[in-house]
Amino acid sequence: MQHATLISFTNTKSLYRYILLLSSVLILSSCNVAKRVKSNEHLITNNTILENGNKVTDEQINNIIVQRTNSGMRKFLGFPLKLYIYNLARPNIDSILNANVLSDSSKVKRRTALLSKKQFDKLTESRRNFNAWLKRTGEAPVIYDESKSIKTISNLRKYYYSKGWFNNDITFDVKKDSNKLAEVTYNVQKNKPYILDSLNPHISSPAIDSLYPKFSKNTLLRKGEQYDEQNYERERERINSYLRNAGFYYFAQDYIRFEMDTINTNNKVNTDIIIANRTIRGDDSTTTTPFKIYKIKAVNIFTDDNFENRNAPITDTTTYKNVTLYSKEKLRFRPKALTDAVFISEGDNYTDLARSRTSRYLNDLQMFRYPNIDFVENPEDTTLTANIFLEPKKKYSLNFDPEINTSNIQTIGFSFGTGLKIRNIFRGAESLEISGVAAIGASKSRSSQETDFFDINEFGGNIRLTIPRLFSPFNTDRIIPKYMSPSTIINLSATSQQNIGLDKQALSGVFSFNWYPSETVTNTLELFNVNYVKNLNTSNYFGVYTNSFSSLNAIARSIGYIAADENLESTESPQYGPADVFIDTVLNGETSLNPSDADFVTVNNIEERKERLTENNLIISTSFDYKKDKRNNIFDNDFSVFKWRIELGGNLLSNLSSIIGLSKNDAGNYEVFGVTFSQYVKTEVDYVKYVDLGRKNVLAFRSYAGIAIPYGNSNSIPFTESFFAGGPNDNRAWTAYNLGPGSSKSTNEFNEANFKLHLSAEQRFSLFGSFQGAVFVDAGNIWNVLDNVTDDSATLTNFKSLKDIAIGSGFGLRYDFDFFVLRFDIGFKTYDPAQNESKRWFRDYNFKNAAYNIGINYPF
């Protein structure tokens, strides 16, 4: 029950009171929905379709109903919010204003004297405008209309006819009550369906008739199957696609029709497939002629076609691989760069496939505005000339991106980014993008007034080269054909931070291949991904991770290491900070703590985490990404997305170190440039499914699993490669990095681990206007597995550890700006594994302990 997500129940008595209150509200609400319904009218509250006595739940069939109920009438606790908003409006606002105010001159005079004539008029107009807004935002009551039920009967009869029930019986009943409410029931009686029997071809053109045995093998109309009108439409599309790709340039679906015979066939359907000759319409006459196969006689590329130079003469002509390139100015591209994008070849039969692949490849180059392909028939023979018209974009483009921002580490910050894009830099349709960013900010933790106000700075630069082919010494055309639009990306970047965390310097480089095997599949192979991170200010660790310092400070006081009114800062040391000195003192056994004590374990865990987060990282990895996205367009709400990634890090350096014979450090690990490089294997699986429930209701699911296992030269995963839980796009009942690992009661600022499970379910629905609502359930957690973490509560030891999966639930409000969605979600801790096992359910299920998330677009 949705409203239960808003209340924290402390005892059974309060629960009963709430249920009673909610029931009373709903009863009163149900009596009020007919507020604007006239005495001789009835509000439709429910539509039901019974199929041979059984209720139909299929949304496709229910969408056939012409007269739908008001939004939310049977959803969202039966609360038609839009109808209630509409009912708040006064149907005769002008009459009310006139009767109550405007007709009484004394009232007008008093209010005018109090407010002024201008303000009085504005107030009156605002009441009219607000009343109009209520009507626009709300939804007028849906009044039962018998003619629309009759229309629904007709539509249902057509639908069931299209599915093979030619002799169906459909009626409807209306149940009206004294509260001006009505329920409509549609009764469908399906009789014996019709089955496909014979399929007989009648093909006029000999060239097509000769191909019929080939393209009929994969027919969708098979003997013994129930008649389905949709299969006939799909069969028309299939045949049309086959013939268009077999060289029949002038063929179209209109030339295919089906004639069916069901007379005295004992519920059998005999089908004639008729493919007519080509019709040629002239000015005064129409003739028919058999279809012919057209071949490509020539392929021409006009490389610099635009409106301004439309009358300029051709000055440069080049022929390369049987393709002629024409230019009105000097040819800007190497011929191979353009011919590689063309799949239309001289001497081949015309195919729609070659045309679409050429168009797609040219668009993927991002070098031209609206590439156009035109085919011209040569009257002397059955051939076509393919003319490709290209209008190059500007070679240089520049952008600027200034920002002002605040965050949890700075009072105010200013940043400025700029980027330069150079197209066709090496005349092979390559793109070079150079970008940089500079930022300054005022830290919230300045320790002295003498410190510069803008004490935070960050600088970075990035160079990205995109090559529209696989940059490889080997011929890869057989493995990855050029119709898959292969490309190579080389990316180099560097950043430097000061007074941000541990003051990192980072260098990275990527060499990757991308290609598209189909319209739904994307593949990315990163041959090399190099990341080097150097921490310049590790002494500031406890200034960043203050929770860890607070834990150490509390332990130091409890064992008498410092006085109860002192802090570790008062302990001085020439080499280390006071917290580091305390850690060494504890771990060396120089205090009253023993290794079996909980405080000793806490200190040891803090030291292990500090060592890992302050060490410099060198990662050289290879990865492969697979993505299958079945979404047709941004309006499609019935699709799935599957992603899989596998990454291997450190193998190259490990093998080279072994071959070269490098010596290992004291920890038994190889080092490169004084840094222990990381070695691990990591894989992730992510699946998202959308189900369209109709009427702007969508049910969305997400499942995710990821694991990163260190081995060889590493016994832990770099922080940048680990997993975290919580946040606006994860488990929304916890803030980012605040969940897990496992059932540990961690107080760390950034909780992370090397194994993660996550599941989400969310129902999204329309409220009014551009506002949308959602209810959701998130489940998941992170754990340590197969690494150096020994805390049982934070590790996944067996299937019993899955009892520590955290569950959050809640609701959200979204506003659709068309180009993005602004999202506000409230998540409640439904099952908290950090609590004792007997107190995990609904322990902090209230607004005080809820997590409030603001995000852009949907979480998945």
Side-chain angles (χ1 to χ4, degrees), residues 188-374:
V188 179
Q189 184 64 42
K190 299 188 301 183
N191 297 313
K192 185 178 180 181
Y194 276 71
I195 306 299
L196 299 185
D197 191 31
S198 62
L199 183 65
N200 307 306
H202 299 276
I203 303 173
S204 301
S205 300
I208 295 178
D209 188 49
S210 66
L211 293 176
Y212 180 77
K214 292 183 178 180
F215 67 76
S216 64
K217 290 180 180 179
N218 297 320
T219 181
L220 302 176
L221 306 177
R222 300 190 179 278
K223 183 176 180 179
E225 293 185 354
Q226 186 169 325
Y227 173 90
D228 191 333
E229 186 179 282
Q230 198 170 38
N231 285 340
Y232 281 82
E233 291 301 317
R234 291 173 178 170
E235 179 70 0
R236 290 180 76 227
E237 294 172 1
R238 189 191 69 84
I239 294 173
N240 178 69
S241 178
Y242 180 92
L243 296 178
R244 293 279 299 175
N245 286 305
F248 296 95
Y249 175 68
Y250 287 104
F251 194 83
Q253 283 192 47
D254 293 343
Y255 290 105
I256 306 172
R257 74 177 193 272
F258 299 98
E259 291 186 357
M260 288 158 285
D261 179 19
T262 59
I263 300 175
N264 298 324
T265 60
N266 192 25
N267 287 73
K268 299 289 181 64
V269 180
N270 298 314
T271 304
D272 291 337
I273 174 173
I274 301 171
I275 302 179
N277 280 330
R278 177 188 172 194
T279 300
I280 303 175
R281 292 180 174 83
D283 294 335
D284 301 319
S285 62
T286 299
T287 61
T288 59
T289 183
F291 281 101
K292 298 177 182 179
I293 294 176
Y294 280 78
K295 291 184 175 293
I296 304 299
K297 186 174 185 178
V299 181
N300 303 317
I301 302 178
F302 297 87
T303 64
D304 52 1
D305 180 76
N306 57 59
F307 183 79
E308 287 76 13
N309 68 5
R310 62 190 181 280
N311 297 320
I314 300 294
T315 60
D316 189 1
T317 303
T318 302
T319 301
Y320 184 82
K321 289 187 177 181
N322 295 324
V323 177
T324 304
L325 297 91
Y326 297 97
S327 302
K328 297 180 180 181
E329 300 174 0
K330 184 179 179 180
L331 181 60
R332 304 180 192 178
F333 298 84
R334 289 201 305 271
K336 186 178 186 301
L338 299 182
T339 58
D340 277 355
V342 178
F343 297 89
I344 305 165
S345 301
E346 180 182 316
D348 288 353
N349 290 344
Y350 167 85
T351 66
D352 277 352
L353 184 61
R355 180 176 188 166
S356 63
R357 284 177 173 174
T358 301
S359 180
R360 175 186 172 186
Y361 198 114
L362 289 170
N363 279 292
D364 287 344
L365 289 177
Q366 298 184 17
M367 294 284 133
F368 311 102
R369 292 188 180 91
Y370 315 115
N372 181 40
I373 305 174
D374 186 27

Side-chain angles (χ1 to χ4, degrees), residues 623-692:
S623 65
F624 174 75
D625 287 83
Y626 172 89
K627 179 181 179 181
K628 187 169 187 178
D629 188 345
K630 294 185 177 181
R631 188 169 195 172
N632 295 320
N633 52 64
I634 60 174
F635 304 106
D636 185 7
N637 283 319
D638 201 338
F639 66 94
S640 64
V641 179
F642 175 78
K643 300 177 186 177
W644 175 63
R645 175 181 173 85
I646 185 168
E647 179 180 359
L648 296 172
N651 288 349
L652 177 62
L653 287 180
S654 179
N655 293 332
L656 289 176
S657 299
S658 178
I659 293 172
I660 296 173
L662 293 181
S663 59
K664 296 184 177 181
N665 59 20
D666 294 339
N669 298 323
Y670 291 115
E671 291 184 351
V672 176
F673 305 121
V675 179
T676 301
F677 60 84
S678 301
Q679 190 171 8
Y680 60 89
V681 58
K682 180 180 181 180
T683 187
E684 300 169 81
V685 178
D686 194 356
Y687 179 75
V688 173
K689 174 64 179 177
Y690 277 40
V691 180
D692 193 345

Side-chain angles (χ1 to χ4, degrees), residues 55-281:
K55 184 178 180 179
V56 175
T57 58
D58 190 324
E59 191 69 25
Q60 180 185 1
I61 300 177
N62 280 281
N63 282 337
I64 295 174
I65 298 173
V66 175
Q67 194 172 29
R68 312 293 298 275
T69 60
N70 286 97
S71 301
M73 186 64 74
R74 289 298 178 186
K75 297 176 182 178
F76 194 52
L77 287 179
F79 190 82
L81 180 60
K82 289 186 177 181
L83 175 58
Y84 278 106
I85 292 174
Y86 183 90
N87 285 344
L88 291 174
R90 307 301 292 268
N92 52 344
I93 185 65
D94 289 329
S95 300
I96 293 173
L97 288 174
N98 186 66
N100 294 341
V101 180
L102 299 179
S103 62
D104 190 335
S105 58
S106 59
K107 281 187 179 181
V108 174
K109 186 176 181 179
R110 285 197 305 272
R111 296 188 181 185
T112 301
L114 180 64
L115 298 173
S116 83
K117 179 68 166 62
K118 185 177 181 179
Q119 289 180 334
F120 173 76
D121 292 340
K122 283 188 174 182
L123 180 62
T124 305
E125 187 61 27
S126 68
R127 292 186 62 181
R128 291 193 180 96
N129 292 339
F130 179 68
N131 198 76
W133 179 84
L134 290 174
K135 288 185 175 181
R136 290 195 310 271
T137 305
E139 188 178 76
V142 178
I143 306 303
Y144 171 71
D145 184 342
E146 184 177 3
S147 65
K148 292 182 178 180
S149 292
I150 295 173
K151 178 64 175 177
T152 298
I153 291 291
S154 176
N155 291 347
L156 286 171
R157 187 171 288 114
K158 291 177 183 177
Y159 171 79
Y160 284 98
Y161 186 97
S162 73
K163 296 300 180 181
W165 287 282
F166 294 171
N167 301 317
N168 55 69
D169 297 317
I170 304 177
T171 59
F172 72 93
D173 298 317
V174 183
K175 182 180 178 181
K176 302 177 181 178
D177 63 22
S178 58
N179 293 322
K180 298 186 290 185
L181 305 179
E183 295 186 2
V184 185
T185 302
Y186 298 92
N187 300 288
V188 179
Q189 184 64 42
K190 299 188 301 183
N191 297 313
K192 185 178 180 181
Y194 276 71
I195 306 299
L196 299 185
D197 191 31
S198 62
L199 183 65
N200 307 306
H202 299 276
I203 303 173
S204 301
S205 300
I208 295 178
D209 188 49
S210 66
L211 293 176
Y212 180 77
K214 292 183 178 180
F215 67 76
S216 64
K217 290 180 180 179
N218 297 320
T219 181
L220 302 176
L221 306 177
R222 300 190 179 278
K223 183 176 180 179
E225 293 185 354
Q226 186 169 325
Y227 173 90
D228 191 333
E229 186 179 282
Q230 198 170 38
N231 285 340
Y232 281 82
E233 291 301 317
R234 291 173 178 170
E235 179 70 0
R236 290 180 76 227
E237 294 172 1
R238 189 191 69 84
I239 294 173
N240 178 69
S241 178
Y242 180 92
L243 296 178
R244 293 279 299 175
N245 286 305
F248 296 95
Y249 175 68
Y250 287 104
F251 194 83
Q253 283 192 47
D254 293 343
Y255 290 105
I256 306 172
R257 74 177 193 272
F258 299 98
E259 291 186 357
M260 288 158 285
D261 179 19
T262 59
I263 300 175
N264 298 324
T265 60
N266 192 25
N267 287 73
K268 299 289 181 64
V269 180
N270 298 314
T271 304
D272 291 337
I273 174 173
I274 301 171
I275 302 179
N277 280 330
R278 177 188 172 194
T279 300
I280 303 175
R281 292 180 174 83

